[in-house]
Structures are given as C-alpha cells and as structure tokens.
Amino acid sequence: MDKNEVISGIKSKIEQQFIHESSGHDWWHIYRVWKLAKKIAKSEAVDQYVVELAALLHDIADWKFNDGDDKAGGIAARALMEEYTIDEETIAKVVDIIDHVSYKGAGVHDEMKSLEGQIVQDADRLDAIGAIGIARTFAYGGFKGRPLYDPSIVPVMHHSFEAYKKNVAPTINHFYEKLLLLKDRMNTKTGKKIASQRHEFMLSYLKQFFDEWDSEPQKT
C-alpha cells in the first residue's frame, strides 16, 4: 500500500468516526486542519506524509473526551497506523506530534519540536480562531453545558495543564484564556499571517458582544 492509499484509508476511517460529532471537534474540523496543514507545508521543507497523518489523527482521542488523558490520542493513533503497517519511525514522529499538539494553558510553555508538528499545531489553532473558531467555541460550551458569560467569573491564566483541564468557566472566558493568545503562539510565517486577520475578527466580535450585553433594553 503506497502513501496515498494509506492517507485515503485513514481519512475514510476518521471521517466515519467523527462525522456525527457535535462539540466542534467533528470530521469537518479535522478536514479543515488537514487541508490547512497541507497548505502551510507547501512553504516549508518538511515530510508531507508525517504532516498529513498527524493532521488527520490529531483529534482521534482528544484528552477533553478521554478523562483528561493527554496520551490517549497518541495511543489510538499508533494503533490505527499499525493497521496500515506504517514504518516505526513515521509512527513515532506522528505520535509525538499528537502528544504535544494541544494547548495546555496560558502559562504553560509549548513543547512542539518538529517543524511538521509546528505546522499541524498552527493549522489546529487557526481553526480555533476567527469566525469558525467562534462557532466552535460556543458549540463546545453548549456541549459541556457551560453558560455563555458571567461577569462575576473572571478569566484565569492557568499556569499548569492540570489547572487548565479542570477549567469550567463560561464560554466567553475561553477567548481570554486561550483564543486571543494564539496569534502570538503561531510557529510558521503562513500561520502568523492567517492568525492576524482572524484575531482581529474575534476582537470585533467581542466588542459587539459586550456592546449588546451592556446596552439598555430597547423601549417598545
């Protein structure tokens, strides 16, 4: 089985697994990350095969849906790749990316080492910001039963992954605890360029949100 056949087979399995997911971590999120990672990779000297595999598998077992286990994704990805007899060196590279791709808190240093991983991380984070990122944020908040906003609960800059995992704050807080910080955490030139525009859109959205929140009820 050649590399294109492997990518096609894994793509099909991931699509079947996530097509009905409703938290914002569905197949179409994975598809967008995959397409964007390929786009970014064209401008970099990287292993395209590793980039594509990691992008398609990056959410195969997200810690948010696996009792906080941040190794679940790598384990599940390895099991699936072994079904396709992918070489161990490639598997190890992909697993390492998946183990480190997630955001872990405002005060937690990112540890992604490979350029392939940085590309996938950029693509994943770009899908967390901008118009689609806003939609996904509220989809996840609703999925978790969180309120939209509570002025009495202030955002927290988490200084450990464990603290970030336990966060149950209102959805609007997530913009300040993560989304608005991602622009300055992009790794690649392409990622930074795209993030800048999406960041500005989120700022405009938040201004409109708070303008409406603070406005007096209109008289009829």
Side-chain angles (χ1 to χ4, degrees):
M1 184 177 294
D2 66 23
K3 291 180 179 180
N4 288 332
E5 290 176 318
V6 171
I7 293 295
S8 179
I10 288 179
K11 174 181 174 290
S12 179
K13 287 202 172 188
I14 293 297
E15 181 176 2
Q16 292 172 22
Q17 180 177 341
F18 288 95
I19 193 65
H20 298 300
E21 207 276 345
S22 62
S23 76
H25 298 76
D26 59 347
W27 159 245
W28 292 112
H29 160 64
I30 296 168
Y31 176 82
R32 290 189 301 272
V33 170
W34 174 54
K35 298 289 281 188
L36 188 50
K38 289 197 293 181
K39 177 181 177 179
I40 297 173
K42 288 181 180 179
S43 303
E44 306 288 347
V46 294
D47 187 330
Q48 181 84 20
Y49 188 46
V50 169
V51 169
E52 290 198 51
L53 287 171
L56 286 169
L57 294 167
H58 82 278
D59 263 352
I60 190 171
D62 192 302
W63 64 265
K64 292 186 286 293
F65 309 104
N66 288 273
D67 298 321
D69 183 359
D70 59 318
K71 299 299 181 183
I75 292 170
R78 170 177 285 280
L80 181 54
M81 285 187 286
E82 286 176 346
E83 292 180 20
Y84 288 85
T85 62
I86 297 171
D87 65 278
E88 175 56 32
E89 182 180 358
T90 298
I91 289 176
K93 289 179 180 179
V94 173
V95 168
D96 186 67
I97 291 170
I98 293 169
D99 282 347
H100 295 95
V101 73
S102 293
Y103 178 85
K104 295 177 172 62
V108 182
H109 178 68
D110 290 330
E111 299 179 352
M112 189 66 74
K113 297 177 181 178
S114 71
L115 183 53
E116 288 83 0
Q118 291 173 5
I119 288 170
V120 174
Q121 189 174 64
D122 277 6
D124 186 31
R125 290 178 173 181
L126 285 168
D127 205 57
I129 61 179
I132 288 177
I134 291 170
R136 292 183 62 227
T137 299
F138 285 105
Y140 181 74
F143 183 83
K144 288 292 189 177
R146 296 180 181 178
L148 292 179
Y149 177 54
D150 183 339
S152 69
I153 302 175
V154 299
V156 176
M157 300 295 102
H158 303 94
H159 289 284
S160 74
F161 190 24
E162 289 305 313
Y164 181 71
K165 286 180 183 180
K166 295 175 182 177
N167 184 34
V168 293
T171 298
I172 284 293
N173 289 33
H174 191 60
F175 285 84
Y176 300 95
E177 295 169 348
K178 176 183 177 182
L179 306 187
L180 292 174
L181 307 178
L182 295 181
K183 175 177 71 71
D184 294 328
R185 293 198 179 199
M186 291 293 151
N187 303 292
T188 65
K189 183 177 179 180
T190 302
K192 291 174 182 177
K193 182 178 180 180
I194 298 171
S196 180
Q197 187 274 331
R198 297 190 184 190
H199 180 85
E200 292 302 315
F201 184 85
M202 289 193 299
L203 291 177
S204 296
Y205 170 79
L206 288 168
K207 181 180 184 304
Q208 180 69 21
F209 180 93
F210 287 113
D211 283 348
E212 293 179 15
W213 185 276
D214 294 331
S215 67
E216 294 291 331
Q218 294 191 10
K219 296 180 181 179
T220 58

